[in-house]
């Protein structure tokens, strides 16, 4: 079986990708320092405890495992924290990624799937958002993703690194079989916090801003099921294996749901009342982020299977009840 390095495979999206890789006949090898990942989510392949800040860990890893490709999920992803502590973000998301790319070159591995983000675009100039929109990130987090995407273009030109950058919109949901799911600490994402409020673990859900220029005044986001994200990684890998460089692709469903619509759907799914408190806007939140994913649908044949918000929240709720 072909080995695939899954950097950050003990995390939310990485663990779903490991499961799919295993089911698809690959042998995932997880490289993770467990700073935010969880050992118990490494269930579909070997585990290597390593830190991208350590060149010797990387050398040992690539010596031990002859991998065919690398998928990189190991970034910090709290937008607000990146504003307060940009050094932490540039160090891990940029400098450590350079270590990884250099270790790959050293080992002769030239296929790379990168977890990018819609945060590279900043405030959208048009909706739905397409890949040819200009990069204009408004947070250090978004800038780290932009920098890495630009580096990948240069590495491709100079060293023949074949890569695909997948720009996630709002990753949500959980494994439909309930074997893995979201487990962030601290949790900042809307859906798990809404489910916490439904279960009575928080007194209410704060809604950040009710005066945006959107139909109900709250922000619109494009929620995309984590299992569909995983599928996109598999397609990207196969494309690289065919010798094609993939480029960059948006991953979303093309539908924007407001914060209040998410809460309403969570009430329907859980059958529980969710108390809401309107609070001021959170800094750095664009009013609406909605993807056009036509490029990946056309070029790689991506077809999201779980594109209803109800299914996304139902799977998140099943996982939530299992782990809390
Ligand atoms: N929200 C609330 N209350 C909360 C949490 C969130 O109202 O307690 C709102 C936010 O203001 C936003 C929406 O719910 O409008 C979704 O917020 P999340 O924090 O779940 O997700 P973001 O849209 O902020 O972040 C996502 C990814 C980031 C990525 C970003 C790009 O999680 O990694 O999109 O803008 F950078």
């Amino acid at each position: 079986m072909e080995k695939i390095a899954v950097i950050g495979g003990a995390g939310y999206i990485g663990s779903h990708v490991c499961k799919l890789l295993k089911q698809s006949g690959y042998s995932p090898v997880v490289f993770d320092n467990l700073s935010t990942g969880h050992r118990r989510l490494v269930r579909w392949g070997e585990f290597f405890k390593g830190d991208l800040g350590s060149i010797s860990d990387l050398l040992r890893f690539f010596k031990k495992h002859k991998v065919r490709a690398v998928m990189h999920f190991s970034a910090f992803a709290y937008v607000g924290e990146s504003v307060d502590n940009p050094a932490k973000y540039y160090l891990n998301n940029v400098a450590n990624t350079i270590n990884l790319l250099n270790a790959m070159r050293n080992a002769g591995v030239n296929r790379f799937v990168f977890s990018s983000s819609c945060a590279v675009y900043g405030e959208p100039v048009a909706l739905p958002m397409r890949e040819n929109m200009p990069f204009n990130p408004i947070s250090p987090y978004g800038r780290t993703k932009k920098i890495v995407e630009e580096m990948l273009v240069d590495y491709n030109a100079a060293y023949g690194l074949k890569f695909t950058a997948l720009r996630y919109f709002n990753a949500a949901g959980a494994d439909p079989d309930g074997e893995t799911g979201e487990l962030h600490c601290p949790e900042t994402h809307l859906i798990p916090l809404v489910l916490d409020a439904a279960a009575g673990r928080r007194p209410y859900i704060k809604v950040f801003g009710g005066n945006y220029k959107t139909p109900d005044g709250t922000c619109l986001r494009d929620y995309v099921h984590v299992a569909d994200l995983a599928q996109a990684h598999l397609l990207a890998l196969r494309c690289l294996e065919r010798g094609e460089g993939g480029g960059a692709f948006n991953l979303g469903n093309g539908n924007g749901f407001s914060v209040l619509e998410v809460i309403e759907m969570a009430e329907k799914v859980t059958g529980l009342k969710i108390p809401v408190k309107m609070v001021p806007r959170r800094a750095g939140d664009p009013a609406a982020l909605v993807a056009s994913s036509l490029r990946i649908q056309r070029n790689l044949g991506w077809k999201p299977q779980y594109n209803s918000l109800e299914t996304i929240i139902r799977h998140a709720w099943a996982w939530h009840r299992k782990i809390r």
Side-chain angles (χ1 to χ4, degrees):
M1 281 205 285
E2 302 283 3
K3 283 189 178 183
I4 308 296
V6 183
I7 315 297
Y12 173 40
I13 302 172
S15 62
H16 287 81
V17 171
C18 285
K19 177 171 176 178
L20 183 63
L21 286 172
K22 186 85 182 180
Q23 286 174 334
S24 308
Y26 293 94
S27 178
V29 189
V30 171
F31 179 105
D32 203 302
N33 65 4
L34 300 182
S35 68
T36 58
H38 306 272
R39 182 65 183 84
R40 66 174 160 131
L41 297 188
V42 184
R43 302 179 46 182
W44 297 279
E46 282 177 75
F47 177 61
F48 183 102
K49 187 156 192 253
D51 192 302
L52 291 180
S54 161
I55 307 290
S56 70
D57 282 1
L58 283 163
L59 286 174
R60 277 194 303 117
F61 176 78
F62 283 106
K63 193 164 174 212
K64 179 160 184 213
H65 297 288
K66 301 291 165 218
V67 300
R68 192 165 168 80
V70 173
M71 296 187 173
H72 180 24
F73 300 89
S74 180
F76 295 135
Y78 293 126
V79 174
E81 183 187 55
S82 80
V83 175
D84 297 335
N85 192 358
K88 176 175 175 183
Y89 279 70
Y90 287 107
L91 186 64
N92 185 46
N93 296 9
V94 180
N96 285 349
T97 302
I98 296 173
N99 289 345
L100 173 61
L101 293 174
N102 289 344
M104 285 173 61
R105 281 180 62 208
N106 185 55
V109 180
N110 76 340
R111 299 183 185 92
F112 190 64
V113 183
F114 177 59
S115 299
S116 188
S117 166
C118 62
V120 296
Y121 300 116
E123 283 284 352
V125 292
L127 291 176
M129 296 152 73
R130 307 193 63 145
E131 290 84 350
N132 58 5
M133 270 181 32
F135 282 168
N136 194 14
I138 53 174
S139 66
Y141 167 71
R143 278 187 279 279
T144 65
K145 295 290 176 181
K146 167 183 179 276
I147 291 167
V148 172
E149 282 209 30
E150 290 171 341
M151 269 169 34
L152 293 175
V153 172
D154 292 337
Y155 273 55
N156 170 260
Y159 313 125
L161 175 78
K162 296 211 180 327
F163 74 92
T164 299
L166 298 175
R167 297 178 186 155
Y168 313 153
F169 280 63
N170 285 60
D175 174 39
D177 308 323
E179 292 185 309
T180 181
E182 199 159 8
L183 208 53
H184 294 123
C185 188
E187 188 52 81
T188 63
H189 294 101
L190 180 64
I191 291 176
L193 292 180
V194 165
L195 297 177
D196 261 348
R201 267 183 300 274
R202 3 187 111 234
Y204 47 78
I205 179 75
K206 290 184 197 163
V207 174
F208 296 139
N211 59 354
Y212 284 94
K213 284 194 183 130
T214 57
D216 67 16
T218 66
C219 290
L220 302 180
R221 291 290 181 273
D222 188 337
Y223 296 90
V224 53
H225 198 294
V226 63
D228 287 328
L229 291 183
Q231 198 66 42
H233 287 77
L234 182 65
L235 295 170
L237 173 66
R238 289 187 175 144
C239 170
L240 295 177
E241 287 183 325
R242 289 194 300 271
E244 299 162 23
F249 298 104
N250 287 341
L251 284 173
N253 286 313
N255 300 314
F257 289 97
S258 75
V259 175
L260 293 179
E261 285 173 326
V262 169
I263 296 168
E264 197 181 315
M265 184 59 83
E267 287 188 330
K268 180 178 167 196
V269 167
T270 62
L272 297 164
K273 181 83 195 122
I274 302 173
V276 167
K277 185 170 179 183
M278 298 301 295
V279 299
R281 292 180 177 196
R282 184 172 71 176
D285 274 341
L289 295 171
V290 180
S292 160
S293 299
L294 282 179
R295 184 186 277 179
I296 191 162
Q297 290 174 29
R298 285 195 189 130
N299 291 16
L300 302 189
W302 184 62
K303 280 198 201 74
Q305 241 191 300
Y306 306 106
N307 56 3
S308 93
L309 182 64
E310 181 167 356
T311 306
I312 289 172
I313 296 180
R314 194 156 35 79
H315 291 164
W317 179 232
W319 170 250
H320 204 266
R321 273 183 302 177
K322 182 170 168 177
I323 53 152
R324 302 279 180 186

